[in-house]
């Protein structure tokens, strides 16, 4: 029986911002009581949130026809008016750029205030960057849609020190210079690096690959030589060489780096145990050592298989072997649970919009969240005449049914992380907090797990339902799976399409 709420639901609070303060003043627009008001306009006193909304509303005035700021009352016939037409005497023009909006400091807007601060901080000295480079850095930081956020971020002592070192020339505007700065201000340096790459001030560098190289050095630093030497060879000649060859600006190193870290970590544990327990190394370990290690621990130990294949192929040890691991169980949820989760994500308020959309892509199209995080907006197409939407995962696009199409349109109009990190032209369906990068798939996984969704079980059940309705090759092409994986899942789901050829009618 289908329940109203999915089993195991653990909703989050999706209310954003600080709670409103209360007081004796009543806002003429929203009717709420406020501690104090920001302005007094013809309709009465205006609270802070209503004032901020009014000073950020631009459009065409229905009375005078000019395109400008519209702070007038929004609930009158025809919509809000400009200040003169609404009888508001205040002049909202910035005294520097002449843009209409809320003043931030002494009659200037927040963007001009930010530019003023940055010009003072990044004024080139004798050893600092050239004036053109300093101007580009200022322009990059001032491109944010919400300059107020950059002003707040800039108040951090670490950010001040980093921008000061860039200005003095102590930190060169290079990847190597930011790597050195990251030792004392890691998040700040990497945020600036992402901004500079996104806007063309630095050449492309995959962030996962760069951090992976540092991670390897840290892992090897305190290991005994008998363990460190084979691990260094394995990490450098197998993983690093392979990941460098496949990483491009269009193809992130996130997934292969994640897998490589797991394999290297388990390999270190194995070789550490081998040396401390039996005083043996990778060159003289035995098949019995491998069998004992696998049998006396968790299934994560199976990740040493790539290392075993590596030492065998390189001639380090020909006497050992290890087959592929096959999971003994295949998690799945019931179809009723899947439908209940789809209903909750489509109509409920237990999670914020981006994670609801990501969860539906998992439950409806059986998409791995690693792939969901890397989806681009150009994967979605809309038929202008009919309004129907389609999304592409593989060679052929698939339709997006209602009401998910409406939810996806709403998400596309209000994608997060576009106002401070990069710009509104981000290609990612789920933009991340770092400029030019999508949300990290681990973040999406953590949010949906904490909500209560069994991720593997949901994906298996969704894929099973597709395979029960269509032949595996069609499902594979539609959802972006290989034919081999589709047939394996079809066998596990017990589908009847394997008998399709025998059931064909003879001509």
């Amino acid at each position: 029986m289908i329940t109203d709420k999915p089993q195991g639901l653990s909703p989050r609070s999706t209310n954003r911002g600080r709670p409103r303060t209360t007081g004796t003043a009543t806002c003429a627009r929203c009717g709420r009581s406020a501690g104090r008001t920001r302005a007094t306009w013809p309709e009465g006193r205006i609270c802070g949130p209503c004032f901020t909304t009014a000073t950020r509303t631009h459009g065409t005035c229905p009375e005078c026809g000019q395109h400008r700021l519209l702070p007038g009352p929004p609930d009158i016939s025809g919509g809000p008016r400009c200040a003169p037409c609404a009888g508001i005497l205040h002049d909202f023009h910035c005294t520097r750029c002449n843009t209409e909006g809320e003043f931030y400091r002494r009659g200037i807007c927040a963007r001009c205030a930010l530019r003023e601060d940055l010009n003072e901080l990044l004024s080139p000295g004798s050893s600092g960057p050239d004036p053109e480079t300093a101007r580009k850095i200022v322009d990059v930081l001032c491109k944010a849609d919400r300059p107020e956020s950059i002003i707040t971020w800039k108040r951090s002592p670490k950010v001040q020190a980093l921008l000061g070192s860039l200005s003095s020339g102590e930190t060169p505007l290079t990847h190597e210079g930011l790597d050195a700065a990251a030792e004392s201000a890691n998040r700040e340096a990497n945020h600036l690096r992402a901004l500079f790459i996104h806007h063309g001030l630095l050449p492309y560098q995959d962030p996962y690959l760069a951090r992976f190289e540092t991670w390897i050095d840290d892992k090897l630093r305190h290991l005994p030589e008998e363990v460190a030497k084979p691990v260094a060879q394995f990490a450098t000649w197998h993983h690093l060489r392979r990941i460098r060859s496949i990483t491009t600006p269009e193809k992130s190193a996130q997934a292969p780096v994640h897998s490589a870290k797991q394999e290297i970590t388990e390999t270190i544990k194995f070789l550490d145990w081998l040396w401390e327990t039996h005083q043996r190394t990778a060159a003289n370990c035995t098949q019995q050592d491998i069998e004992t290690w696998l049998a006396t621990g968790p299934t994560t130990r199976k990740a040493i298989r790539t290392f075993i294949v590596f030492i065998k192929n390189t001639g380090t040890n020909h006497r050992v072997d290890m087959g592929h691991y096959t999971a003994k169980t295949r998690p799945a949820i019931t179809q009723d649970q899947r439908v209940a989760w789809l209903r909750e994500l489509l109509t409920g308020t237990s999670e914020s919009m981006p994670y609801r959309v990501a969860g539906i892509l998992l439950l409806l199209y059986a998409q791995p969240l690693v792939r969901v995080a890397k989806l681009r907006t150009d994967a979605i197409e809309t038929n202008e005449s009919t309004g129907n939407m389609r999304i592409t995962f593989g060679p052929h696009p698939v339709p997006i049914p209602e009401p998910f199409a409406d939810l996806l349109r709403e998400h596309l109009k209000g994608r997060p992380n576009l106002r401070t990190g990069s710009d509104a032209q981000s290609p990612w369906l789920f933009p991340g907090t770092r400029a030019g990068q999508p949300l990290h798939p681990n973040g999406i996984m953590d949010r949906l797990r904490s909500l209560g969704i069994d991720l593997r079980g949901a994906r298996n059940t969704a894929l099973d339902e597709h395979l029960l309705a269509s032949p595996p090759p069609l499902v594979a092409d539609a959802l972006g799976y290989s034919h081999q994986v589709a047939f394996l899942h079809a066998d596990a789901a017990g589908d009847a399409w394997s008998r399709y050829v025998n059931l064909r009618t003879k001509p």
Side-chain angles (χ1 to χ4, degrees):
M1 179 178 179
I2 299 177
T3 57
D4 290 337
K5 292 291 183 180
Q7 184 179 2
L9 174 65
S10 178
R12 295 173 57 92
S13 173
T14 54
N15 294 326
R16 301 186 65 185
R18 294 175 293 181
R20 289 175 179 261
T21 57
T22 57
T24 58
T26 300
C27 177
R29 292 200 174 179
C30 65
R32 295 188 178 95
S33 59
R36 63 186 183 92
T37 54
R38 290 287 303 275
T40 300
W41 289 343
E43 70 262 40
R45 294 190 290 182
I46 308 299
C47 70
C50 289
F51 180 83
T52 300
T53 301
T55 53
R56 293 179 182 177
T57 302
H58 291 78
T60 302
C61 177
E63 192 164 319
C64 65
Q66 296 184 56
H67 187 85
R68 56 185 302 182
L69 181 71
L70 306 178
D75 54 354
I76 62 175
S77 177
R81 264 73 171 166
C82 65
C85 293
I88 299 174
L89 301 179
H90 182 75
D91 184 5
F92 294 95
H93 289 87
C94 173
T95 56
R96 291 194 182 172
C97 66
N98 204 40
T99 301
E100 283 188 297
E102 181 180 4
F103 290 163
Y104 185 85
R105 179 193 303 160
R106 300 188 301 274
I108 62 175
C109 63
R111 197 175 307 280
C112 289
L114 174 62
R115 186 174 292 276
E116 179 182 82
D117 293 346
L118 291 174
N119 283 331
E120 181 179 349
L121 187 62
L122 289 172
S123 55
S126 58
S127 59
D130 60 89
E132 182 65 18
T133 301
R135 183 190 63 79
K136 289 180 179 179
I137 295 175
V138 172
D139 288 342
V140 163
L141 293 174
C142 288
K143 280 183 179 179
D145 190 50
R146 288 196 71 250
E148 298 90 345
S149 297
I150 303 298
I151 293 175
T152 302
W153 172 76
K154 183 178 60 62
R155 291 174 184 154
S156 164
K158 289 185 178 180
V159 175
Q160 292 277 352
L162 179 57
L163 291 176
S165 65
L166 284 170
S167 173
S168 65
E170 181 182 348
T171 298
L173 189 57
T174 61
H175 285 297
E176 293 74 17
L178 290 176
D179 287 340
E183 295 180 3
S184 58
N186 181 56
R187 294 183 63 182
E188 293 77 10
N190 286 328
H191 180 68
L192 278 178
R193 187 201 309 272
L195 278 171
F196 293 161
I197 291 174
H198 181 69
H199 292 284
L201 290 187
L202 286 177
Y204 175 77
Q205 181 189 72
D206 191 282
Y208 301 103
L209 179 57
R211 289 197 292 267
F212 181 49
E213 294 172 352
T214 304
W215 180 87
I216 292 174
D217 293 337
D218 293 340
K219 277 286 185 180
L220 298 177
R221 187 169 292 121
H222 302 294
L223 295 177
E225 184 180 356
E226 293 79 6
V227 176
K229 185 176 180 181
V231 172
Q233 293 172 344
F234 176 54
T236 303
W237 297 107
H238 177 76
H239 285 300
L240 263 181
R241 184 174 62 174
R242 177 179 59 88
I243 294 173
R244 284 170 177 163
S245 67
I246 64 175
T247 301
T248 64
E250 292 75 29
K251 188 174 182 181
S252 169
Q254 187 273 328
V257 163
H258 180 75
S259 176
K261 283 184 176 180
Q262 289 181 319
E263 293 180 358
I264 293 171
T265 299
E266 293 301 322
T267 298
I268 291 173
K269 292 178 182 178
F270 169 63
L271 293 178
D272 224 4
W273 167 83
L274 189 65
W275 177 250
E276 291 182 359
T277 307
H278 302 291
Q279 294 296 302
R280 285 197 285 269
T281 64
N284 57 16
C285 74
T286 66
Q287 188 67 33
Q288 183 62 38
D289 293 331
I290 296 175
E291 301 297 338
T292 302
W293 173 254
L294 295 175
T296 57
T299 56
T300 53
R301 292 184 174 185
K302 64 183 173 56
I304 68 169
R305 182 183 181 276
T306 305
F307 175 73
I308 300 303
V309 173
F310 173 77
I311 62 174
K312 189 173 181 179
N313 291 341
T314 56
T316 303
N317 191 331
H318 288 292
R319 300 181 301 278
V320 293
D321 196 10
M322 182 176 169
H324 287 280
Y325 172 80
T326 303
K328 296 180 180 179
T329 60
R330 184 174 181 270
I333 62 176
T334 66
Q335 177 63 1
D336 285 352
Q337 290 173 326
R338 176 177 173 243
V339 172
W341 275 114
L342 282 169
R343 182 187 297 109
E344 174 62 30
L345 294 177
L346 284 168
T347 62
T349 58
S350 56
E351 223 349 320
S352 56
M353 179 67 71
Y355 300 99
R356 289 167 61 194
V357 172
I360 294 171
L361 291 170
L362 165 73
L363 288 156
L364 190 61
Y365 297 108
Q367 291 300 298
L369 293 179
V370 172
R371 192 186 301 168
V372 167
K374 297 177 184 177
L375 280 174
R376 295 173 176 261
T377 54
D378 57 13
I380 301 169
E381 57 184 72
T382 303
N383 189 309
E384 297 296 337
S385 58
T386 64
N388 295 332
M389 298 179 70
R390 300 193 301 175
I391 187 168
T392 302
F393 303 114
H396 310 294
V398 294
I400 301 176
E402 298 291 353
F404 180 41
D406 285 337
L407 193 72
L408 195 54
R409 291 188 191 98
E410 185 179 349
H411 169 68
L412 288 170
K413 289 179 181 178
R415 286 180 297 160
N417 302 324
L418 296 180
R419 307 194 69 185
T420 57
S422 50
D423 51 49
Q425 303 303 316
S426 172
W428 303 110
L429 184 60
F430 302 100
T433 55
R434 293 275 171 83
Q437 299 176 24
L439 280 178
H440 198 290
N442 288 358
I444 302 177
M445 293 178 192
D446 291 342
R447 289 286 285 265
L448 294 182
R449 278 199 190 102
S450 65
L451 189 62
I453 300 177
D454 178 355
L455 303 183
R456 290 183 61 197
R459 184 164 67 92
N460 286 337
T461 298
L463 190 54
D464 290 350
E465 291 299 319
H466 284 289
L467 290 167
L468 289 173
S470 302
L474 296 183
V475 174
D477 290 343
L479 302 183
Y481 285 87
S482 68
H483 287 197
Q484 180 184 10
V485 168
F487 274 106
L488 288 174
H489 277 270
D491 291 340
D495 85 298
W497 289 103
S498 58
R499 300 188 295 274
Y500 173 74
V501 176
N502 294 332
L503 292 175
R504 289 183 60 190
T505 304
K506 292 183 179 181

